[in-house]
Amino acid sequence: MADSPPSKLESEHKDGGVATELPSLIEAPTAVLEKGSIDPVYEAKAKVLNKAIQDIGMGRYQWQLFIVIGFGWASDNLWPIVTSLIFTPVKNEFHPTRAPFLTLAQNIGLLIGAIFWGFGCDIFGRRWAFNLTIGVTAVFGLIAAGSPNFAAIATFAALWSIGVGGNLPVDSAIFLEFLPGSHQYLLTVLSIDWALAQVFATLIAWPLLGNLTCQQTDTDCTKKKNMGWRYFMLAMGGVAMLMFFVRFVCFTIYESPKFLMGKGNDAEAVKVVHEVARRNGKTSTLTLEDLQLCEQLAGPISVSQQSHAAAAIKRNLQKINTSHVKALFATKKLAFSTGLITLIWAFIGLGFPLYNAFLPFIQATRGADFGDGSTYLTYRNSLIIAILGIPGCLLGGYLVEYPRLGRKGTLSLSTILTGVFLFCSTTAVTSDALLGWNCAYNFMSNIMYAVLYSYTPEIFPTKDRGTGNAITASANRVFGIMAPIIAMFANLQTSAPVYVSGALFIASGMLVLALPFESRGKASM
């Protein structure tokens, strides 16, 4: 790198002084976070890397990444749906005193996974977490098929969920950090995998659980008559193992350039950018000197006025501490944004599982009241509901780029309508009416999640993105843990859980409007 020609940054640097404005190379694309929200040296270097990735464009490497990252999105929805689908047959076979403990165990595992993988990927990097999360899920999902009792299946649900809990905090960070700013809407489109996973799970569950499962009214439910959920676990675990194989063996994941830069490894960051350019059949003009010069250019606006050498040492020594958390609350505006998005995730974390995780149970019991609560019909309806989520994700990908809505408008509207349709479902007097309202609810909730999963990582800086994702995901999981606890002491055959869930969604949609950052048309930092 020492013999390379002078960079554009270097040639524009004034002799005998330090430039007060960053040159045009790093002015575009516009950043989501306002100037001064993050460390000025990091901010300057992030802009250089954003421009380099933008110049490379959307190519072969990013499209391959789009496919394998989709496995993480699919897994995040697939396994909670798996728990929901096996809930009734497991309850009928093992007759546990507190059946919602199965969902509680899952949510505890999701919380542990979100904390461990989310915080860990900001400390140890994205690569290992990217590969291991689905591997952990696959192993324990397969083992769970042989569970001899309720305690065993609940334990394995917690263990496979530790892997699941890390998928979105890690995968969203990786994908966003390799995306050109012009293509960040693809983070929303990725949720098509989230919806397809629900369709896939219910499509497999329909014949297996519909035909090889004890009926809701059976009093003598033995293992032999109830093998459907075990075959279903083998199928889902096998799919997860296939995903792990493709990720680990068939695809080479590079560490995020901005993560490497945030850790002080500028040379490796430049090397990765050039490798991505090579994969895309292009070349990059980025040099190590471009990044090193940023320390001189950004130095005069540093609030701390520390020497650049001292700042570099501090960043390089940064390991397990609270600095990543503090960075997300560095300014009043950033602190307000972080706190509010965490509260939104928390509300949705309680509202979504309170209704959706027990949807097959609600359908079966309400269906029995309507005279058509067979297991087969329950899973058929679950499949119909799941299919309606696919166009929801695609519509979300379009609306987030629509000028009058953007990320915030789309998220707010879809979240409020999700709650409204839940309220409407309480008016159903036939199973067809209940199915219709549930389809509308799933359509809007898929738009909501598509935008929420893309908008959240966009408003965090790369060096702290894993931590930010971990905080929001942890809030989501903590409140998710409350849902099965409520279910243990509430009567699920009444509309009370539906009213609570709907109110939480509507409140979340209103809170979205107060978020300070709109990321449409801007590059993440």
Side-chain angles (χ1 to χ4, degrees):
M1 300 296 290
D3 297 326
S4 60
S7 67
K8 186 175 180 179
L9 280 173
E10 195 171 10
S11 62
E12 293 186 14
H13 188 242
K14 305 286 186 181
D15 290 331
V18 179
T20 57
E21 294 184 1
L22 299 177
S24 59
L25 175 65
I26 56 178
E27 288 179 355
T30 304
V32 173
L33 301 180
E34 61 185 3
K35 189 174 182 180
S37 295
I38 53 180
D39 173 69
V41 174
Y42 173 86
E43 181 180 359
K45 290 183 178 182
K47 288 183 178 180
V48 172
L49 291 174
N50 278 344
K51 183 62 167 59
I53 294 294
Q54 183 67 50
D55 288 343
I56 293 172
M58 190 72 185
R60 178 184 175 187
Y61 181 78
Q62 283 94 341
W63 286 117
Q64 289 177 340
L65 193 60
F66 180 83
I67 294 173
V68 294
I69 288 291
F71 296 165
W73 251 255
S75 183
D76 181 80
N77 196 27
L78 178 68
W79 287 93
I81 291 295
V82 165
T83 307
S84 174
L85 291 171
I86 69 172
F87 180 81
T88 299
V90 165
K91 177 177 69 71
N92 291 343
E93 180 178 336
F94 295 129
H95 305 290
T97 305
R98 302 284 190 188
F101 269 126
L102 178 62
T103 309
L104 177 61
Q106 169 199 262
N107 287 333
I108 291 174
L110 291 172
L111 173 61
I112 295 172
I115 293 173
F116 177 77
W117 300 111
F119 286 103
C121 76
D122 270 349
I123 299 170
F124 305 112
R126 277 72 157 134
R127 291 182 63 189
W128 281 105
F130 172 80
N131 284 317
L132 289 177
T133 48
I134 292 183
V136 170
T137 302
V139 169
F140 289 111
L142 288 169
I143 295 174
S147 300
N149 51 49
F150 184 77
I153 183 62
T155 300
F156 291 129
L159 292 172
W160 82 53
S161 296
I162 291 176
V164 176
N167 281 305
L168 284 186
V170 175
D171 290 13
S172 61
I174 289 177
F175 190 52
L176 186 60
E177 289 155 24
F178 279 105
L179 271 182
S182 58
H183 286 73
Q184 284 182 192
Y185 70 91
L186 288 176
L187 203 59
T188 303
V189 178
L190 257 179
S191 287
I192 188 69
D193 295 289
W194 203 78
L196 287 172
Q198 186 176 1
V199 173
F200 175 75
T202 50
L203 188 62
I204 301 300
W206 187 12
L208 289 179
L209 297 176
N211 295 310
L212 302 174
T213 298
C214 299
Q215 295 298 315
Q216 183 79 8
T217 55
D218 283 355
T219 56
D220 181 26
C221 183
T222 63
K223 178 180 178 180
K224 186 176 181 180
K225 294 193 299 184
N226 203 46
M227 287 295 293
W229 73 268
R230 298 178 188 273
Y231 295 143
F232 181 61
M233 290 303 306
L234 289 174
M236 297 300 101
V239 169
M241 187 60 73
L242 180 61
M243 290 178 176
F244 170 71
F245 177 83
V246 172
R247 274 192 171 192
F248 193 75
V249 177
C250 303
F251 180 77
T252 302
I253 181 70
Y254 298 109
E255 190 56 85
S256 159
K258 278 189 278 188
F259 170 82
L260 292 168
M261 175 272 291
K263 290 296 182 182
N265 197 345
D266 292 351
E268 191 65 24
V270 172
K271 182 179 178 181
V272 170
V273 170
H274 281 273
E275 181 58 27
V276 171
R278 187 189 67 80
R279 287 286 192 96
N280 289 356
K282 295 185 177 182
T283 58
S284 174
T285 59
L286 180 70
T287 68
L288 178 59
E289 287 76 14
D290 289 336
L291 295 180
Q292 292 175 336
L293 192 59
C294 288
E295 297 192 10
Q296 300 176 44
L297 294 171
I301 62 174
S302 173
V303 175
S304 64
Q305 297 298 321
Q306 293 177 331
S307 70
H308 305 307
I313 293 173
K314 183 178 179 180
R315 289 194 299 273
N316 289 332
L317 291 177
Q318 185 178 11
K319 292 295 181 183
I320 304 177
N321 53 42
T322 60
S323 58
H324 290 295
V325 176
K326 291 179 180 178
L328 298 174
F329 298 86
T331 66
K332 289 183 178 180
K333 193 171 184 179
L334 196 57
F336 180 72
S337 174
T338 302
L340 194 56
I341 194 66
T342 301
L343 182 61
I344 291 168
W345 273 86
F347 281 1
I348 292 175
L350 177 57
F352 188 74
L354 191 61
Y355 182 76
N356 200 62
F358 297 100
L359 184 57
F361 179 78
I362 293 172
Q363 284 179 309
T365 53
R366 293 283 294 276
D369 294 337
F370 298 142
D372 54 3
S374 69
T375 303
Y376 182 83
L377 194 61
T378 295
Y379 289 112
R380 186 211 68 176
N381 288 352
S382 294
L383 176 61
I384 295 172
I385 293 168
I387 290 174
L388 265 293
I390 297 175
C393 294
L394 295 176
L395 180 61
Y398 168 77
L399 292 178
V400 293
E401 292 297 315
Y402 190 72
R404 294 185 180 180
L405 285 175
R407 267 64 158 174
K408 287 173 55 179
T410 305
L411 180 57
S412 177
L413 183 62
S414 60
T415 306
I416 291 173
L417 287 177
T418 297
V420 169
F421 287 133
L422 279 186
F423 282 133
C424 292
S425 70
T426 63
T427 66
V429 294
T430 66
S431 60
D432 287 341
L434 179 63
L435 174 62
W437 289 123
N438 282 335
C439 286
Y441 153 77
N442 200 52
F443 178 80
M444 297 310 305
S445 67
N446 271 271
I447 297 178
M448 174 192 72
Y449 268 111
V451 182
L452 186 65
Y453 282 155
S454 61
Y455 173 78
T456 301
E458 285 180 336
I459 60 175
F460 296 133
T462 295
K463 66 185 181 69
D464 311 305
R465 181 167 292 127
T467 299
N469 287 342
I471 290 173
T472 54
S474 296
N476 184 267
R477 305 310 187 188
V478 167
F479 276 72
I481 288 173
M482 296 169 59
I485 295 175
I486 292 172
M488 291 181 201
F489 301 100
N491 184 359
L492 289 180
Q493 298 184 54
T494 70
S495 299
V498 181
Y499 285 124
V500 174
S501 181
L504 288 168
F505 280 116
I506 292 174
S508 299
M510 298 299 292
L511 289 175
V512 167
L513 297 175
L515 287 165
F517 298 116
E518 170 57 65
S519 54
R520 188 190 71 82
K522 299 175 183 177
S524 66
M525 293 298 290

